[in-house]
Amino acid sequence: MIEQPHHLPPRLGLLSATAADPFLTEDLLRGIQGHGGVDLAKVVEPLPEEDPRWRAEPLRELIDDALHQFKENRTEADAWLAPRLHAALRLTRREAADRRIWNHLALGVAPDYVVWRHASAPSSGSADSRVAAARFKGAPDRQCFSRLWWAAELFRDGGDYAPVVVACSNQDLIHTVMRSDLVDHRPTAQALVRVLQSGIATTGREINGLMAAINTAGATLVYDAMAADELRDPEDLRRWIEEAETAPPVPRHELPTGPEEEPVPEGSVETLTKYFADLFETAPVRGRAPQG
């Protein structure tokens, strides 16, 4: 596997997909040889220097800890890193939607982590593993770091990241659910976590079947009318972001705390959890005998 770049940027910047392309060499994607970092820095657009959120060192240290702690099981790193990345990089959703930030984090700050986490198993007849370029500069549900940040954003319960750990512990849930607009409805996200915790649906086939049933039912049934959510005060997030300058390092052995927003109404979560459990009884799960 490759090592981190010799020249680590002191701050995050904006790296366009076009500017990133020349550095996504076959040697990099196969984990043979990375880049030094100096030439990459020349094509990065800087972010405001007065904003403490863009410091790269705390993020690199967090990533190094994940590399060390999960070297025996790389998929388990997602559940640990997602809430801590979200708490360390305090973004608005508009900022997080800018893929150029994630391009730079992946290619300029931690390409070694991307290769380590997402290298595929060698194909038949080949000794080489390979990372898809989309893990460096792809869609939010595919890119190495944006998928973790958005998972934490969508599954956190106000400032509580515990549901994020549950969600990110199941790769099938993340892959399937993050492609659905329904997960932006907070009670739906929390109910899905409850369904997963209960053991009702855990395998990839079961989760795919459940999501198909939920999306079909959602075409005629509006979930926010069935399970209302509290309106979030934007001042809570603004205050949390402003506190980035004085915030202590993200804890490693306990979960961080997110924005002090109102938690999801418990009654709404319970209503949808029961409804989804009932939906699953007749969900189209491949390989399961039809329910009578």
Side-chain angles (χ1 to χ4, degrees), residues 107-282:
L107 195 53
V109 177
D112 53 317
Y113 183 88
V114 180
V115 172
W116 170 81
R117 173 61 186 85
H118 291 291
S120 61
S123 58
S124 177
S126 171
D128 292 334
S129 60
R130 193 178 188 278
V131 180
R135 297 299 186 181
F136 285 94
K137 61 160 196 171
D141 64 318
R142 290 278 292 162
Q143 205 270 356
C144 178
F145 295 111
S146 68
R147 65 189 284 271
L148 299 181
W149 191 95
W150 279 106
E153 173 66 11
L154 294 171
F155 283 103
R156 66 182 174 87
D157 186 5
D160 182 9
Y161 286 117
V164 177
V165 175
V166 177
C168 291
S169 296
N170 189 298
Q171 296 295 309
D172 294 304
L173 183 71
I174 297 301
H175 291 326
T176 304
V177 172
M178 286 184 64
R179 295 186 175 94
S180 171
D181 292 337
L182 286 173
V183 78
D184 198 28
H185 179 236
R186 296 198 307 161
T188 294
Q190 296 307 310
L192 286 169
V193 169
R194 298 271 181 96
V195 169
L196 188 66
Q197 285 180 304
S198 69
I200 294 172
T202 58
T203 69
R205 289 183 178 183
E206 290 171 345
I207 290 171
N208 286 334
L210 175 60
M211 287 305 299
I214 289 173
N215 282 309
T216 299
T220 56
L221 179 65
V222 180
Y223 291 125
D224 59 3
M226 181 181 183
D229 192 7
E230 297 286 347
L231 288 176
R232 286 180 282 184
D233 186 347
E235 286 300 305
D236 294 331
L237 179 62
R238 182 193 59 77
R239 187 164 49 249
W240 187 65
I241 289 174
E242 288 180 348
E243 292 169 353
E245 186 171 7
T246 57
V250 173
R252 273 32 175 192
H253 302 295
E254 59 186 31
L255 285 176
T257 301
E260 294 183 3
E261 296 176 338
E262 287 295 319
V264 181
E266 179 62 24
S268 294
V269 179
E270 290 180 353
T271 296
L272 283 185
T273 300
K274 183 180 184 305
Y275 182 71
F276 291 165
D278 291 342
L279 273 182
F280 182 70
E281 293 298 319
T282 56

